[in-house]
Amino acid sequence: MHILVAEDDPSLAEGLCRSLRHAGYAVDCVTNGNEADAALETNEFDLLILDIGLPKKSGLEVLKRLRSRNSAVAVLILTARDSVHDRVSGLDAGADDYLAKPFELAELAARVRALTRRGTAGGSTLITHGALTYDQVGRVARLNNEPLDLSARELRLLETFLQRDGRLVSKDQLVNQLCEWGEEVSSNAIEVYVHRLRKKLEPGDVRIVTVRGLGYSLEKPGTK
Ligand code: CA
């Protein structure tokens, strides 16, 4: 799960990023509309948390440009407390949800969980893949009904595979999902994480298959 936070208030941005990272998401932060626009054009995110009142280019304009590129990324807008106008224009421009400032971080976390699980079939919070189940709300993976002990990066890796539902995931996409800007993660490191996750999945019927030169996919039991 890779989240972009676009917020120009330094203390709010810091609090947001810290709590989202603590919850296990990969988070990048930008502080004006131009940076947000550039980041969204060049990277794949699962969720955008977008302040409407951004300098250089308003959040509303960033959102309109994003949707005009046909991006389906989930967008949560942050608006001033009394601005009904901002909320309405934001939702009309393609935001999925909004929060009015000031808000509690616990409420933000709940909205983020709701938005990030919307991408999966039927909005169910539980993904089952053979002997593997994954609870998207609690972020707990179980194999043969036993909880899997996964590092934060292994968990992100597994989430990425499950969300692709057996489709191929390239190494570049994994790097993007696992890393925040400024972090150096080589494709060798990705191989190491995949290797570790593969080991942990061994007792079950789910396999991470290497597609040489292209990437990986999570093989469903009974397919081959
Ligand atoms: Ca602002």
Side-chain angles (χ1 to χ4, degrees), residues 58-126:
S58 78
L60 201 58
E61 198 177 338
V62 171
L63 179 59
K64 284 178 180 164
R65 288 174 55 84
L66 178 74
R67 292 310 189 211
S68 74
R69 294 193 295 270
N70 290 322
S71 166
V73 61
V75 179
L76 173 66
I77 53 170
L78 307 178
T79 67
R81 183 173 39 159
D82 298 322
S83 184
V84 177
H85 176 74
D86 278 358
R87 276 175 240 164
V88 172
S89 339
L91 292 169
D92 280 347
D96 297 282
D97 199 358
Y98 70 86
L99 264 180
K101 295 178 185 179
F103 50 82
E104 296 289 328
L105 286 175
E107 182 174 8
L108 175 101
R111 303 284 180 104
V112 167
R113 288 195 296 272
L115 285 169
T116 53
R117 69 177 176 253
R118 207 169 270 179
T120 58
S124 162
T125 61
L126 198 68

Side-chain angles (χ1 to χ4, degrees), residues 34 59 90 102 105 109 120 132 179 198:
N34 286 344
L105 286 175
T120 58
L132 179 69
C179 311
R198 195 176 258 155

